[in-house]
Amino acid sequence: MNIEKQADIVLSSQAVFTGLEDEPRPAAIAITDNKIIAIGSEEEIEPFIGEQTKVYKYDDELIMPGFHDFHLHVMMGSLSLESVNLFTARSEEEAVNMVQEYGQAHPEEPWIIGFMWDSSYWDDQELPHRSSLDRVFPDRPVLLFHAEGHYAWVNSKALEIAGIDRDTENPPYGTIEKDEMGEPTGIVIERAIEPITRYAFDLSQARKTELFQGFLAEAARFGVTSVNDLFGTQMNSRLDDFPLLQKFEEQGKLTVRIHLFPVLDGDLKRAEQLRKTYASDKLRVSGLKQFIDGVITSRTAYLLGSYADMPGVEGHAEFSLDTLTEWVVEADKAGFSVRFHAIGEGAIRMALDTFEEAQKQNGVRDSRHSVEHVEVIHPTDIPRFKQLGVIASMQPDHFALSERNVYTERIGMEREKYVFAIRTLKDAGAKLAFGTDFPIDSLNPMRQLYRAITRVDSGGVDVWNPAERITLAEAIRAYTSGSAFGTFREHELGTLEVGKLADIAVLDRNLFDVSAEEILDAQANLTIVDGSVVFEKKTGALKA
């Protein structure tokens, strides 16, 4: 081993998961500047240790590549960290009480914003009404996002500010729910949310800065070293702020790598300009993103045939196949990776059809396009992922966010066999990449790992399609090297190898040596990004 210079940091443990094997092994890692310069036994790495070297010596805590969240929404997630979380509410009344407590504790906030309510877990399973919010906040606007993020519950004040009333027509690909008298109920679906977020998300630069700082801290404490920030519909347009992220980078404060995926909308000149503007090691445009459909619970996901509980309704795509194909062929020719939100089997097929047409017109290239979510797939489309080189971008914990019985009632038992078919897709040759879709789910990677290896459903006991479970090593790879591959960075990220960038997470236990349930309790002890420690527990194992 050729030792040219002393290391800045040395880590060692009895459990180092490099990503190259299926199990962790004893090892030590030497880091200089922002790269891994050596991996070997403690004895082999000892010569790299000098007076200025920081040495972290662990017992059997797991050292692994940093988590790379393949799908999230940076600024909306940042906002969610300082909003009311309603996931534990089990009735409309309980949700209102939680909103009231939050509002009273934060009188300075002009809008009360919340996330994660889900009426499928409530006793009556009925959608809530604006009147219950009006009783506690008649003059302060309230905007509460459903757990899946594709519909929201608002009060009368929010509707008033947005100019929505009984005479307001539904926007394209959106619904303003109205009662039998023609009055808005307070439920707005898909693009009907946009007139409200236009005001609710009108935040000052100082406020956005505070929120983003919170996001960086959250990522660091979970061992997340890279993220992919995907376009999250037009309702997020007032929140998204690429120049703010660049400012953090210029100031040396960007403690996570961010791969941007702005909107695919036919404006290729804008996309190419963004790609030129954001092209650094820590902040870069890595592709484009668009939505094809919605979600199962609101019946806006596009199926092949009717919903089981509503004959004649099959959902529909937001754009025509011709439009999407035109956009994809053009973007593919310009060298962009394209990613489509596609949850229903009809939408997944549309996405694959556009990618296939791009290959026919432009020729086969290493495009690494992806389908996001892949919740309900038709079996004939499963082998097409390998055939077309398309990545399956999935969030395993999502099938436990929705109440299983309600989800199954929507799609029917025949489709139920192909819900989150992770193992089937992998065995068919699809490349997997995992993420959270934060703020739709917590940024905590442990929940995704747990769900991928157990398939325990929303009830917390039963296993949903146990044959679709994957191993822990496979799940971690999907969350590290799979994501790195999806952003064309497998040569420098995703595994622990000499010469790669030093993005590393140290967990407080060896995940391979504990029960699946204990994985949920695992936390990061240390997070290193680009060779610098960005998070360290006070109980960390630092030694001179």
Side-chain angles (χ1 to χ4, degrees):
M1 192 175 291
N2 184 22
I3 302 171
E4 296 182 355
K5 61 188 299 186
Q6 292 177 344
D8 297 321
I9 297 174
V10 166
L11 309 170
S12 66
S13 173
Q14 295 302 304
V16 176
F17 183 76
T18 65
L20 303 176
E21 303 96 15
D22 289 335
E23 299 281 342
R25 59 180 173 84
I29 301 170
I31 299 166
T32 296
D33 296 326
N34 67 340
K35 291 186 177 179
I36 296 172
I37 61 168
I39 300 177
S41 66
E42 287 193 46
E43 292 76 18
E44 290 172 319
I45 300 301
E46 182 71 28
F48 288 91
I49 300 174
E51 291 184 4
Q52 301 302 314
T53 304
K54 290 183 179 179
V55 180
Y56 294 81
K57 186 176 177 65
Y58 297 96
D59 294 323
D60 58 358
E61 290 93 333
L62 185 67
I63 299 176
M64 58 170 284
F67 289 102
H68 185 151
D69 195 311
F70 199 61
H71 181 134
L72 53 68
H73 310 285
V74 165
M75 291 309 298
M76 194 171 184
S78 300
L79 178 62
S80 75
L81 294 174
E82 296 195 23
S83 302
V84 57
N85 188 312
L86 302 170
F87 190 64
T88 59
R90 287 299 174 261
S91 68
E92 181 172 354
E93 180 181 5
E94 185 177 355
V96 170
N97 289 339
M98 293 169 71
V99 173
Q100 184 177 23
E101 289 178 9
Y102 178 87
Q104 290 172 345
H106 299 82
E108 76 289 351
E109 295 181 10
W111 282 74
I112 299 171
I113 297 175
F115 291 82
M116 295 297 290
W117 64 270
D118 189 347
S119 55
S120 67
Y121 286 105
W122 299 353
D123 293 338
D124 59 8
Q125 295 190 342
E126 296 291 329
L127 289 173
H129 196 273
R130 61 184 167 87
S131 59
S132 58
L133 294 172
D134 292 346
R135 284 196 296 270
V136 293
F137 291 110
D139 300 311
R140 192 173 171 194
V142 180
L143 169 61
L144 309 173
F145 288 95
H146 180 267
E148 293 188 289
H150 286 249
Y151 47 114
W153 169 27
V154 300
N155 67 347
S156 296
K157 189 64 177 178
L159 293 172
E160 176 191 328
I161 290 172
I164 296 174
D165 58 26
R166 62 179 296 119
D167 298 320
T168 306
E169 296 183 359
N170 289 330
Y173 204 75
T175 303
I176 302 165
E177 289 285 336
K178 295 178 181 178
D179 61 23
E180 63 277 5
M181 303 298 291
E183 295 292 340
T185 65
I187 297 296
V188 284
I189 301 173
E190 301 292 352
R191 287 201 164 184
I193 307 173
E194 291 174 18
I196 299 167
T197 57
R198 190 177 304 139
Y199 297 93
F201 288 174
D202 188 16
L203 306 179
S204 69
Q205 199 69 13
R207 181 60 174 150
K208 285 185 178 182
T209 299
E210 290 176 358
L211 294 174
F212 183 56
Q213 287 171 333
F215 171 82
L216 293 177
E218 188 83 343
R221 80 180 183 92
F222 281 135
V224 175
T225 57
S226 286
V227 302
N228 291 7
D229 182 22
L230 274 61
F231 166 70
T233 75
Q234 289 299 332
M235 74 177 181
N236 285 350
S237 60
R238 276 197 176 272
L239 274 182
D240 290 337
D241 194 334
F242 295 175
L244 173 66
L245 311 185
Q246 191 173 53
K247 183 178 179 181
F248 268 75
E249 182 191 26
E250 291 170 350
Q251 295 175 346
K253 297 178 181 178
L254 193 59
T255 55
V256 66
R257 299 185 197 278
I258 301 181
H259 305 86
L260 304 169
F261 288 80
V263 63
L264 170 76
D265 61 0
D267 187 353
L268 204 59
K269 286 185 179 180
R270 178 179 182 272
E272 289 177 327
Q273 184 57 53
L274 288 172
R275 184 166 60 180
K276 291 178 183 177
T277 303
Y278 304 100
S280 71
D281 203 43
K282 281 191 174 181
L283 182 65
R284 65 176 63 175
V285 167
S286 295
L288 303 173
K289 154 78 182 311
Q290 188 50 270
F291 288 75
I292 292 182
D293 66 347
V295 293
I296 294 295
T297 57
S298 66
R299 302 184 188 87
T300 53
Y302 175 38
L303 300 180
L304 297 172
S306 298
Y307 278 83
D309 64 344
M310 193 169 284
V313 173
E314 57 184 34
H316 64 278
E318 185 169 357
F319 304 96
S320 70
L321 179 59
D322 287 345
T323 295
L324 293 174
T325 301
E326 179 183 344
W327 291 351
V328 170
V329 170
E330 185 183 31
D332 178 80
K333 189 174 182 179
F336 285 98
S337 288
V338 174
R339 301 173 64 171
F340 277 127
H341 168 114
I343 282 180
E345 57 200 353
I348 295 168
R349 180 166 295 177
M350 283 182 71
L352 295 171
D353 286 349
T354 68
F355 297 149
E356 184 172 356
E357 186 60 29
Q359 288 192 357
K360 290 178 181 177
Q361 294 195 33
N362 300 332
V364 177
R365 71 177 185 88
D366 187 13
S367 57
R368 306 189 193 183
H369 301 315
S370 75
V371 179
E372 306 300 309
H373 309 305
V374 200
E375 289 192 14
V376 183
I377 189 171
H378 193 280
T380 59
D381 287 320
I382 290 172
R384 297 180 71 194
F385 279 79
K386 180 182 179 182
Q387 292 164 7
L388 297 170
V390 174
I391 294 166
S393 170
M394 304 181 78
Q395 305 78 36
D397 192 50
H398 280 207
F399 72 77
L401 292 181
S402 297
E403 205 285 321
R404 180 177 175 179
N405 291 333
V406 171
Y407 195 100
T408 303
E409 286 172 6
R410 295 280 193 275
I411 62 173
M413 293 308 297
E414 187 60 31
R415 292 189 182 102
E416 195 262 356
K417 303 171 188 175
Y418 302 101
V419 172
F420 290 85
I422 300 174
R423 166 58 67 190
T424 299
L425 281 161
K426 179 172 176 52
D427 287 351
K431 294 276 190 182
L432 298 178
F434 284 173
T436 60
D437 201 9
F438 178 68
I440 302 305
D441 201 354
S442 164
L443 194 54
N444 184 359
M446 300 307 151
R447 293 169 60 159
Q448 310 301 326
L449 297 181
Y450 169 78
R451 210 67 63 179
I453 68 174
T454 67
R455 301 283 300 195
V456 172
D457 67 14
S458 59
V461 177
D462 295 331
V463 176
W464 197 346
N465 297 350
E468 295 297 343
R469 290 181 290 204
I470 61 175
T471 68
L472 178 60
E474 290 168 334
I476 292 176
R477 286 196 189 103
Y479 223 132
T480 52
S481 57
S483 299
F485 176 85
T487 43
F488 290 88
R489 302 194 73 173
E490 71 275 15
H491 62 290
E492 55 186 353
L493 296 172
T495 56
L496 301 181
E497 298 179 71
V498 173
K500 286 197 171 183
L501 293 170
D503 288 8
I504 300 172
V506 181
L507 307 185
D508 63 3
R509 68 201 71 189
N510 180 0
L511 302 185
F512 292 83
D513 199 31
V514 299
S515 67
E517 287 67 30
E518 285 184 74
I519 289 176
L520 287 170
D521 297 324
Q523 299 178 13
N525 269 343
L526 189 77
T527 305
I528 296 175
V529 176
D530 211 38
S532 296
V533 174
V534 298
F535 172 79
E536 179 183 355
K537 274 192 177 178
K538 292 181 179 178
T539 55
L542 178 62
K543 293 188 178 181

